[in-house]
C-alpha cells in the first residue's frame, strides 16, 4: 500500500545537515525503545484509552499536522519561466537587446525566435512529462485506526486521516496498514512489517513489544517507522513522533532544505557558454576598432562588430539541444520511460557509474522456494509436501513464505492430495516459539502435527530426525551437522525454515496445544530466495561493454547481497558495510569506493554520501531506486531513475520513471543519451569552429579592403541559412564506435577544436577574397580595379565580392559538416541521415538562387558569372580534402574528435 503523502520538491541534499538531524531522531527513538510502555505513556501524557478531542487539538497546535515537509508543484507559468533559465539564452538576449538599440530589428527577430522556439519545445516536453509522472501516483487518501475518547467519555476506535495523528495517540495496526508515524509497540500478535521501502530488504521483519536489536534503529523490534507497512499480524502502538520529526521526515527535511547541485549537463552548458562569451569579448572589440580605423565610419563599424558577435554565436544551440533531448524523450517513451527532465537524457549518455539498489532491480522482488532438502542436504519431495500441507491448512493470514510455497509448481500435487486430509486443529505462530503447526488426519489414518519454523526453535522441540534409513535419535553430532548445513545455506543468501512432524494416537484429545509441539521428527528444510532477474546478468554485461561501472548500494545484509551479485556476474573481493564507511573520512571513503562496487547495510544518508563522493571524484553518476531509502541518492545523482511502482518520494526525486523496472531499459537509454550528446557536439564544435574561422576572415578582410567584406544583414542571413540546415542534426546517424563509451561536456576540448579546425576555413576564405577582388570582380568591369571605378560601380563591385564570399562561406560551412560529423571517411564509411543530407542540399540551392531574387537584390547581392562556380568547385574540393587530412591528424594527436 502506497501513500499519497510522499511528495517533495526537487532539490538536493546538504548531507551534513541531514545526517545530524537523522542521528538526533535515531537517538530519540532508541531511547524510547528501551523504556517501559508505562513510562512512554506517562511521558507523552497518554493512556491506553486514548486522547480526548481537546488534547488532540492542543497537540495539533503544538506539533502540527502529520505531514512531511513538501512544496506544491510549480505552476505552469513558473515552469515556463524556468525553461528560459539557461546561460546561453542570456547571451542571446543580450545580443538581441543590442540589436534593438542599434536599430537591427531583423537580427533581433531572428535571435528571439531561436530562443522562443527552444523554450517552447523544452517547456512542452517537460510539462507533459510532469503530468504523466503525476498520473503515476497512487491517488489514495490514507487513513489509520486510532483509539480516542469520544465526547461521551467512552474509549473507542475510529478511522481518521493520517494527517490528524498526534504524538501520544494510540493506534491499532492490522495486515495491509501503512505505518502512519514512528510508533512504539505496546503489544502485538504475529506482527511482521515490510521495511523494504526503508532498508531494501525483501522479506518482512518480525516486530514485538520487546526492545531487541538496538545497534541499528531500523532493527529495533519494538519500533515501527512511517512509510513501512504491516505484512501480517496485529498490534497496538503509541505514536512517538509525527511529520518532520519522524525517521522518514528527517530525510524529507534534508531534501527540502538543501541547495540545488548542478548536474554534469548543467556544468557543461555553463562552461561552453562562458567559453563563447570570452571569445566574443575578445573578438568583437578587435573587429570594431579595425573596421572603425580602416573605414572611418564608426557606426557602421559598430553594426559590423555586433554582426560578428552574432556570427560567432551558434544561435541555434538551444534549439538543437532541446530538439535533441525532445527526440530522445519521445524515443524513450516508446521504451516505457517517462522523462521528467529533458536534461537527464544527456546525463544518461555521460553516465559512467550506475548505482542501484538490489531488490527489484537485480532481483525479482518476489520470494520463491529454491530448495527443499532433507537434513543431509539432499532434495526431498516429502519435506516440500509437509511444508505445503502446513501452509495450505493454516487458517490465518499467510505470509510471503507461505505464498511462495503454495505458488511453487510442486504445490499442485500437494493441493490435490489435500482433499484426502482434514484439519483437526492448529497452533498459530508467535514470536516466542517462532513456529506454527497444523494438525491433520488422513481418512482412516492417525492424527499428525506438521510444524515449520525457525531452525533454532524447531531443534529445541525435536527428539529425532528422518534419514533415508528411517528415524534416528537427534544426537549432538547430528545437531552440529545440521547447523553446519543450515549455515552454508545462509551463506548463500537463503532464508531457511525447518519442517518436522509427529504422529499421535487416535484417542488424543481434539484440542492440541504448544505442549504437543514436542518430540518432533525433523524432516528437513525449505530454503527461500528473492532470485535474480533473468535479464540482469545480460544487462550488466551490456552496461560494462558500454563503459559503465555498476555499483550495488543496498540496505540488505552483506550475505544476501553477495549471493545475488555473484549470481548476476558481478565480480568483487569484498563487500563494504555502512558501519565501515562511517569510520572513514571523506578522503579515505573516496579512495575506498573507487576500489569496491558492492556496499551493504547502508542507511539512506550513507547511500547519498557514496553518490556525492563519486561525483566529487569526477564521475557522472546515475542512481536507480524505488524506496524511501533511495530518495536522498536519487536527488544527489546526476540522473535519478525510479519506477512507476515506487513510493511517491522516490518518483518525485527521480529524473526518469521506468514503467518497467529493468536494467535493459537503462542500457537502451544510455545509447539514446549518447546519440543525443553526439549530435549536440556535432553542432557545437562544427558551428563554433566554422564561425570562429569566419571571424578570422572578417578581421583580415576588414583591414585589407576598402569596403565591408559582408554586410551585417548578409552575415545574419548566412547564419540563419546555415543554422536552419542544422535543425536536422538531431536526426543524424551516429557511428557505433562513438556510442561505445561515456561522453562528457569538456569546454577545453571545444576550445581546442575551435582554435585548430576553425582557422583552416580562413585559408580558403582568403583564396576567395583574392579570386573575387583580383579576378572575378575586375573581369566584370573590363579589368578595371576597384579604385578606378565610379561610386556606383564600386557598389556593384563590393556587392559582387560580398555575394561571392557569401556563397563560398555557405558551401564550405555546409559541406564540411559532412566531413566533420564522423571520424570515418564520409559517405563511404559513415553516411549522414537522409534528412541531414537533403536539408544541406536544399540550403545550398537556396543560397545559389538567392542573388538572382528580389530579396537578394534588396540586401545587396549581385548575380555572379558562371565561371565563378568553376573556381568554387576547385576551392571546395581543396577545402574538403584539407579538412579530411586535418581531421585524421587531430584524431591521431588528441585521440578524440567530437
Amino acid at each position: 500500500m502506497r501513500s499519497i503523502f510522499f511528495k517533495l520538491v526537487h532539490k538536493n541534499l546538504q548531507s551534513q545537515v541531514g545526517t545530524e538531524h537523522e542521528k538526533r531522531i535515531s537517538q530519540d527513538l532508541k531511547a524510547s525503545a528501551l523504556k517501559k510502555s508505562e513510562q512512554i505513556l506517562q511521558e507523552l501524557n497518554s493512556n491506553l484509552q486514548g486522547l480526548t478531542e481537546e488534547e488532540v487539538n492542543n497537540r495539533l497546535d503544538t506539533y502540527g499536522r502529520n505531514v512531511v515537509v513538501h512544496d506544491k508543484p510549480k505552476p505552469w507559468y513558473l515552469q515556463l519561466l524556468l525553461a528560459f533559465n539557461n546561460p546561453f539564452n542570456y547571451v542571446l538576449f543580450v545580443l538581441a537587446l543590442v540589436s534593438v538599440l542599434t536599430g537591427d530589428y531583423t537580427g533581433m527577430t531572428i535571435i528571439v525566435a531561436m530562443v522562443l522556439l527552444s523554450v517552447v519545445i523544452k517547456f512542452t516536453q517537460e510539462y507533459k512529462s510532469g503530468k504523466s509522472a503525476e498520473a503515476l501516483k497512487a491517488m489514495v487518501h490514507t487513513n489509520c485506526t486510532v483509539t480516542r475518547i469520544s465526547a461521551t467519555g467512552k474509549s473507542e476506535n475510529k478511522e481518521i486521516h493520517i494527517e490528524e495523528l498526534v504524538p501520544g495517540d494510540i493506534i491499532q495496526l492490522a495486515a495491509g496498514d501503512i505505518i502512519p508515524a514512528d510508533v512504539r509497540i505496546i503489544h502485538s500478535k504475529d506482527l511482521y512489517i515490510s521495511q523494504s521501502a526503508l532498508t531494501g530488504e525483501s522479506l518482512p521483519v518480525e516486530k514485538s513489544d520487546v526492545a531487541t536489536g538496538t545497534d541499528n534503529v531500523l532493527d529495533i523490534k519494538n519500533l515501527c517507522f512511517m512509510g513501512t507497512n504491516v505484512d501480517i499480524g496485529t498490534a497496538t502502538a503509541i505514536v512517538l513522533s509525527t511529520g518532520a520529526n519522524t525517521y522518514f521526515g528527517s530525510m524529507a527535511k534534508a531534501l527540502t532544505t538543501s541547495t540545488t547541485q548542478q548536474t554534469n549537463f548543467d556544468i557543461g552548458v555553463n562552461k561552453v557558454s562562458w567559453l563563447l562569451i570570452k571569445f566574443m569579448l575578445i573578438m568583437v572589440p578587435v573587429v570594431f576598432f579595425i573596421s572603425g580605423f580602416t573605414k572611418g565610419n564608426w557606426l557602421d563599424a559598430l553594426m559590423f562588430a555586433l554582426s560578428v558577435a552574432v556570427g560567432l554565436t551558434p544561435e541555434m544551440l538551444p534549439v538543437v539541444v532541446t530538439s535533441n533531448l525532445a527526440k530522445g524523450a519521445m524515443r524513450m517513451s516508446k521504451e516505457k520511460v517517462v522523462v521528467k527532465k529533458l536534461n537527464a537524457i544527456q546525463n544518461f549518455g555521460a553516465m559512467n557509474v550506475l548505482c542501484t539498489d538490489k531488490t527489484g532491480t537485480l532481483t525479482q522482488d518476489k520470494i520463491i522456494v529454491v530448495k527443499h532438502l532433507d537434513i543431509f542436504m539432499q532434495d526431498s519431495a516429502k519435506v516440500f509436501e509437509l511444508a505445503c500441507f502446513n501452509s495450505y491448512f493454516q487458517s490465518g493470514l499467510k505470509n510471503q513464505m507461505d505464498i511462495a510455497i503454495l505458488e511453487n509448481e510442486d504445490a499442485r500435487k500437494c493441493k490435490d492430495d489435500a482433499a484426502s486430509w482434514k484439519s483437526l486443529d492448529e497452533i498459530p505462530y508467535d514470536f516466542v516459539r517462532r513456529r506454527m503447526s497444523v494438525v491433520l488426519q488422513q481418512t482412516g489414518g492417525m492424527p499428525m502435527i506438521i510444524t515449520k519454523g525457525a531452525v533454532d526453535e524447531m531443534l529445541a522441540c525435536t527428539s529425532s530426525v528422518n534419514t533415508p534409513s528411517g528415524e534416528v535419535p537427534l544426537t549432538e553430532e547430528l545437531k552440529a551437522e545440521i547447523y553446519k548445513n543450515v549455515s552454508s545455506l545462509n551463506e548463500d543468501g537463503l532464508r531457511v525454515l525447518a519442517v518436522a512432524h509427529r504422529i499421535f494416537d487416535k484417542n488424543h484429545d481434539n484440542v492440541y496445544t504448544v505442549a504437543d509441539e514436542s518430540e518432533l521428527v525433523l524432516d528437513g528444510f525449505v530454503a527461500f530466495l528473492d532470485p535474480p532477474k533473468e535479464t540482469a546478468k545480460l544487462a550488466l554485461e551490456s552496461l560494462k561493454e558500454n563503459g559503465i561501472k555498476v555499483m550495488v548500494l543496498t540496505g540488505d545484509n552483506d550475505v544476501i547481497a553477495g549471493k545475488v551479485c555473484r549470481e548476476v556476474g558481478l565480480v568483487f573481493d569484498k563487500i563494504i558495510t555502512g558501519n565501515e564507511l562511517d569510520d572513514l573520512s571523506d578522503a579515505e571513503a573516496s579512495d575506498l569506493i573507487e576500489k569496491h562496487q558492492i556496499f551493504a547495510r547502508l542507511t539512506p544518508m550513507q547511500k547519498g554520501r557514496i553518490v556525492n563522493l563519486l561525483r566529487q571524484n569526477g564521475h557522472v553518476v546515475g542512481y536507480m531506486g524505488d524506496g524511501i531509502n533511495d530518495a536522498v541518492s536519487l536527488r544527489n545523482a546526476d540522473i535519478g531513475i525510479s519506477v512507476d511502482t515506487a513510493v511517491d518520494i522516490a518518483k518525485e526525486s527521480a529524473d526518469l520513471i521506468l514503467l518497467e523496472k529493468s536494467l535493459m531499459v537503462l542500457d537502451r537509454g544510455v545509447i539514446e543519451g549518447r546519440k543525443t550528446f553526439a549530435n549536440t557536439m556535432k553542432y557545437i564544435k562544427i558551428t563554433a569552429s566554422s564561425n570562429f574561422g569566419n571571424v578570422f576572415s572578417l578581421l583580415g578582410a576588414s583591414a585589407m579592403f576598402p569596403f565591408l567584406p559582408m554586410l551585417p544583414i548578409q552575415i545574419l542571413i548566412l547564419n540563419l541559412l546555415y543554422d536552419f540546415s542544422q535543425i536536422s542534426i538531431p536526426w543524424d546517424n551516429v557511428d557505433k564506435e562513438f556510442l561505445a563509451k561515456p561522453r562528457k561536456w569538456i569546454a577545453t576540448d571545444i576550445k581546442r577544436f575551435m582554435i585548430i579546425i576553425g582557422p583552416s576555413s580562413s585559408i580558403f576564405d582568403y583564396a576567395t577574397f583574392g579570386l573575387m577582388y583580383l579576378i572575378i570582380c575586375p573581369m566584370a568591369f573590363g579589368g578595371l580595379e576597384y579604385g578606378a571605378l565610379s561610386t556606383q560601380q564600386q557598389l556593384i563591385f563590393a556587392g559582387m565580392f560580398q555575394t561571392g564570399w557569401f556563397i563560398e562561406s555557405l558551401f564550405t560551412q555546409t559541406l564540411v559538416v559532412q566531413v566533420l560529423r564522423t571520424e570515418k571517411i564520409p559517405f563511404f564509411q559513415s553516411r549522414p541521415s537522409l534528412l541531414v543530407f537533403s536539408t544541406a542540399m536544399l540550403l545550398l540551392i537556396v543560397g545559389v538562387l538567392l542573388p538572382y531574387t528580389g530579396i537578394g537584390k534588396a540586401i545587396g547581392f549581385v548575380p555572379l558569372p558562371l565561371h565563378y562556380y568553376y573556381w568554387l568547385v576547385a576551392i571546395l574540393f581543396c577545402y574538403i580534402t584539407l579538412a579530411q587530412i586535418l581531421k585524421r591528424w587531430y584524431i591521431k594527436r588528441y585521440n578524440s574528435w567530437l
Side-chain angles (χ1 to χ4, degrees):
M1 184 176 182
R2 304 297 188 187
S3 171
I4 188 63
F5 68 86
F6 296 130
K7 298 178 179 178
L8 297 175
V9 70
H10 182 75
K11 299 176 183 175
N12 274 304
L13 172 69
Q14 291 175 324
S15 58
Q16 186 62 36
V17 175
T19 301
E20 292 301 321
H21 188 58
E22 181 194 11
K23 286 181 178 179
R24 180 181 62 80
I25 289 178
S26 296
Q27 290 170 356
D28 292 343
L29 289 170
K30 286 181 179 181
S32 297
L34 296 174
K35 297 175 183 177
K36 293 183 177 180
S37 299
E38 294 78 8
Q39 186 178 355
I40 296 291
L41 289 167
Q42 184 177 3
E43 289 180 356
L44 290 172
N45 194 22
S46 182
N47 58 73
L48 293 177
Q49 284 71 46
L51 302 174
T52 64
E53 289 302 318
E54 182 181 358
E55 290 172 323
V56 169
N57 291 331
N58 290 337
R59 296 186 189 202
L60 282 172
D61 292 337
T62 302
Y63 299 105
R65 299 183 74 81
N66 182 31
V67 293
V68 293
V69 180
H70 69 280
D71 290 333
K72 295 181 179 179
K74 294 182 179 67
W76 68 267
Y77 52 84
L78 183 56
Q79 293 182 47
L80 181 60
L81 289 175
L82 290 174
F84 281 93
N85 187 23
N86 179 295
F88 204 78
N89 285 340
Y90 299 149
V91 174
L92 294 178
F93 271 127
V94 170
L95 292 177
L97 179 61
V98 173
S99 297
V100 171
L101 295 176
T102 56
D104 182 14
Y105 296 104
T106 303
M108 180 274 295
T109 302
I110 293 171
I111 293 171
V112 172
M114 296 303 101
V115 174
L116 289 177
L117 180 60
S118 68
V119 167
V120 169
I121 292 174
K122 182 177 182 180
F123 166 74
T124 302
Q125 184 65 40
E126 291 193 350
Y127 183 77
K128 287 169 60 180
S129 298
K131 288 295 184 182
S132 297
E134 288 290 324
L136 291 174
K137 294 179 182 178
M139 302 302 294
V140 177
H141 294 286
T142 305
N143 294 330
C144 64
T145 302
V146 62
T147 301
R148 285 183 179 170
I149 299 175
S150 66
T152 61
K154 182 180 179 181
S155 177
E156 58 186 20
N157 293 338
K158 60 185 294 188
E159 290 284 320
I160 65 167
H161 194 281
I162 61 171
E163 291 187 6
E164 300 172 17
L165 210 61
V166 296
D169 259 328
I170 305 299
I171 63 171
Q172 309 299 325
L173 299 173
D177 287 348
I178 192 168
I179 307 298
D182 288 352
V183 301
R184 158 72 188 274
I185 298 172
I186 298 175
H187 56 76
S188 64
K189 181 179 181 182
D190 307 334
L191 185 64
Y192 275 78
I193 300 294
S194 175
Q195 295 190 156
S196 61
L198 279 177
T199 65
E201 291 190 35
S202 308
L203 291 169
V205 295
E206 299 178 27
K207 294 288 185 176
S208 68
D209 57 355
V210 180
T212 57
T214 55
D215 289 337
N216 184 332
V217 66
L218 296 175
D219 293 334
I220 298 177
K221 295 294 185 183
N222 64 354
L223 294 180
C224 296
F225 303 92
M226 182 188 225
T228 61
N229 59 279
V230 180
D231 192 63
I232 62 172
T234 59
T236 299
I238 183 170
V239 175
L240 298 175
S241 51
T242 57
N245 293 318
T246 61
Y247 186 83
F248 168 65
S250 67
M251 288 184 283
K253 184 176 181 179
L255 287 167
T256 56
T257 59
S258 58
T259 55
T260 302
Q261 297 183 39
Q262 290 187 318
T263 66
N264 175 260
F265 176 85
D266 300 324
I267 294 171
V269 169
N270 286 339
K271 287 183 177 180
V272 170
S273 299
W274 279 109
L275 174 66
L276 296 174
I277 290 171
K278 290 175 183 177
F279 271 104
M280 279 192 288
L281 292 176
I282 294 172
M283 301 301 292
V284 170
V286 172
V287 172
F288 172 67
F289 284 112
I290 289 178
S291 181
F293 282 118
T294 57
K295 308 297 183 298
N297 189 327
W298 290 97
L299 179 59
D300 285 349
L302 176 62
M303 294 294 295
F304 185 62
L306 291 175
S307 299
V308 169
V310 176
L312 184 62
T313 305
E315 301 94 340
M316 290 291 289
L317 178 59
V319 176
V320 170
V321 171
T322 307
S323 298
N324 260 310
L325 298 175
K327 180 185 70 68
M330 288 186 287
R331 283 187 178 179
M332 293 185 71
S333 67
K334 297 177 181 179
E335 300 289 346
K336 299 181 179 180
V337 178
V338 176
V339 180
K340 289 179 59 183
K341 292 183 61 180
L342 285 181
N343 294 354
I345 298 175
Q346 195 118 331
N347 288 325
F348 230 164
M351 179 177 69
N352 67 335
V353 175
L354 172 64
C355 298
T356 178
D357 195 5
K358 170 186 64 66
T359 305
T361 306
L362 301 181
T363 66
Q364 296 179 17
D365 198 13
K366 180 182 179 182
I367 304 301
I368 65 169
V369 176
V370 291
K371 293 181 179 181
H372 34 85
L373 310 166
D374 62 21
I375 65 168
F376 299 113
M377 305 294 282
Q378 300 299 310
D379 287 340
S380 172
K382 180 65 175 177
V383 169
F384 183 78
E385 180 183 53
L386 292 173
C388 186
F389 282 166
N390 178 282
S391 297
Y392 183 80
F393 282 102
Q394 65 172 285
S395 60
L397 188 65
K398 293 174 173 53
N399 61 30
Q400 288 190 35
M401 285 174 280
D402 290 317
I403 294 171
I405 290 172
L406 295 174
E407 290 183 350
N408 188 275
E409 59 182 11
D410 294 332
R412 184 178 300 174
K413 183 178 182 302
C414 296
K415 293 177 183 178
D416 292 339
D417 293 343
S420 63
W421 293 78
K422 66 175 181 177
S423 176
L424 302 180
D425 202 356
E426 69 177 86
I427 308 171
Y429 179 93
D430 65 52
F431 283 97
V432 178
R433 294 165 36 252
R434 290 166 57 87
R435 59 181 180 264
M436 78 83 54
S437 300
V438 295
V439 183
L440 310 178
Q441 185 175 19
Q442 195 171 24
T443 304
M446 310 287 282
M448 178 174 65
I449 187 171
I450 303 174
T451 306
K452 75 174 189 300
V455 174
D456 287 339
E457 283 71 9
M458 290 291 291
L459 287 176
C461 57
T462 297
S463 60
S464 58
V465 296
N466 241 334
T467 70
S469 58
E471 295 181 11
V472 299
L474 177 62
T475 62
E476 290 300 320
E477 291 78 10
L478 273 175
K479 186 179 290 188
E481 184 175 355
I482 288 170
Y483 274 120
K484 180 182 177 182
N485 291 337
V486 171
S487 178
S488 69
L489 293 173
N490 292 147
E491 289 174 1
D492 280 338
L494 303 179
R495 180 73 65 91
V496 180
L497 294 180
V499 180
H501 78 281
R502 177 185 172 185
I503 297 176
F504 296 94
D505 294 332
K506 283 187 177 180
N507 58 2
H508 189 284
D509 293 339
N510 288 333
V511 177
Y512 291 80
T513 66
V514 172
D516 292 308
E517 292 179 330
S518 60
E519 298 183 7
L520 299 177
V521 178
L522 182 65
D523 294 283
F525 313 101
V526 180
F528 303 84
L529 179 68
D530 179 8
K533 288 185 174 179
E534 294 180 1
T535 59
K537 187 172 184 179
L538 180 62
L540 290 173
E541 290 173 354
S542 181
L543 288 168
K544 184 177 180 181
E545 290 174 0
N546 286 320
I548 298 174
K549 177 183 178 181
V550 177
M551 299 179 66
V552 177
L553 313 184
T554 180
D556 214 339
N557 70 70
D558 47 340
V559 174
I560 294 177
K563 164 69 174 176
V564 171
C565 291
R566 279 189 291 271
E567 289 198 6
V568 297
L570 290 176
V571 179
F572 58 94
D573 55 0
K574 183 181 179 182
I575 297 177
I576 307 300
T577 64
N579 288 337
E580 293 177 73
L581 274 179
D582 282 344
D583 295 334
L584 302 176
S585 65
D586 280 354
E588 293 170 329
S590 293
D591 183 59
L592 184 71
I593 62 177
E594 294 295 334
K595 299 176 181 177
H596 301 279
Q597 65 182 119
I598 314 297
F599 298 81
R601 296 188 180 276
L602 297 176
T603 66
M605 297 304 175
Q606 289 166 342
K607 289 184 178 184
R609 184 188 181 199
I610 291 174
V611 171
N612 273 339
L613 292 175
L614 285 168
R615 293 190 64 196
Q616 290 173 18
N617 288 352
H619 296 289
V620 180
V621 183
Y623 187 90
M624 183 174 181
D626 62 354
I628 298 170
N629 60 327
D630 297 312
V632 174
S633 300
L634 288 166
R635 294 289 195 208
N636 287 2
D638 287 289
I639 176 168
I641 308 155
S642 192
V643 294
D644 64 327
T645 55
V647 296
D648 285 351
I649 183 177
K651 288 187 286 189
E652 288 285 346
S653 303
D655 302 306
L656 301 178
I657 298 176
L658 309 183
L659 304 184
E660 174 186 343
K661 194 172 185 181
S662 169
L663 290 177
M664 294 301 293
V665 174
L666 292 188
D667 188 49
R668 293 191 290 269
V670 165
I671 298 302
E672 195 61 47
R674 291 178 186 177
K675 287 180 180 178
T676 300
F677 179 84
N679 288 330
T680 302
M681 282 296 105
K682 286 177 189 178
Y683 175 77
I684 292 176
K685 284 190 172 182
I686 295 173
T687 302
S689 61
S690 179
N691 290 352
F692 185 62
N694 286 343
V695 170
F696 262 105
S697 301
L698 283 168
L699 279 172
S702 298
M704 291 167 53
F705 303 114
F707 51 80
L708 292 176
M710 201 179 296
L711 297 177
I713 185 62
Q714 294 170 349
I715 294 175
L716 291 173
I717 290 177
L718 174 64
N719 280 314
L720 179 62
L721 289 174
Y722 172 76
D723 288 339
F724 184 80
S725 71
Q726 301 309 296
I727 291 178
S728 60
I729 281 289
W731 286 267
D732 193 19
N733 299 327
V734 180
D735 297 335
K736 290 183 179 179
E737 292 79 3
F738 187 91
L739 303 176
K741 63 180 181 179
R743 307 284 176 170
K744 294 175 64 175
W745 288 68
I746 304 176
T748 54
D749 189 37
I750 297 173
K751 176 182 178 182
R752 182 178 63 206
F753 193 96
M754 287 175 61
I755 293 174
I756 295 175
I757 303 298
S760 65
S761 65
S762 296
I763 298 173
F764 298 94
D765 285 338
Y766 283 109
T768 301
F769 294 161
L771 174 69
M772 296 302 300
Y773 194 79
L774 300 176
I775 300 176
I776 302 294
C777 292
M779 287 177 63
F781 295 95
L784 295 178
E785 296 181 356
Y786 178 81
L789 301 176
S790 65
T791 302
Q792 184 62 31
Q793 289 176 323
Q794 286 181 345
L795 289 175
I796 298 173
F797 187 105
M800 185 175 293
F801 181 97
Q802 292 159 353
T803 305
W805 188 36
F806 175 91
I807 292 177
E808 183 267 346
S809 293
L810 183 62
F811 267 78
T812 54
Q813 280 185 287
T814 304
L815 291 181
V816 81
V817 171
Q818 311 300 319
V819 178
L820 302 183
R821 56 167 290 277
T822 175
E823 295 184 12
K824 301 179 179 180
I825 299 174
F827 297 105
F828 295 98
Q829 295 179 336
S830 176
R831 296 180 181 178
S833 68
L834 180 61
L835 182 61
V836 168
F837 182 75
S838 301
T839 305
M841 294 303 103
L842 176 63
L843 264 294
L844 292 181
I845 293 172
V846 171
V848 170
L849 296 179
L850 188 60
Y852 301 93
T853 66
I855 296 176
K857 183 179 179 180
I859 59 178
F861 285 148
V862 175
L864 296 170
L866 182 62
H867 58 267
Y868 163 81
Y869 294 100
Y870 297 147
W871 286 100
L872 178 64
V873 171
I875 289 173
L876 292 175
F877 177 80
C878 293
Y879 179 46
I880 291 173
T881 302
L882 176 64
Q884 183 67 22
I885 294 172
L886 189 59
K887 179 176 71 174
R888 301 316 307 168
W889 172 85
Y890 188 98
I891 293 171
K892 185 176 181 180
R893 174 69 175 82
Y894 297 105
N895 194 32
S896 68
W897 185 236
L898 294 176

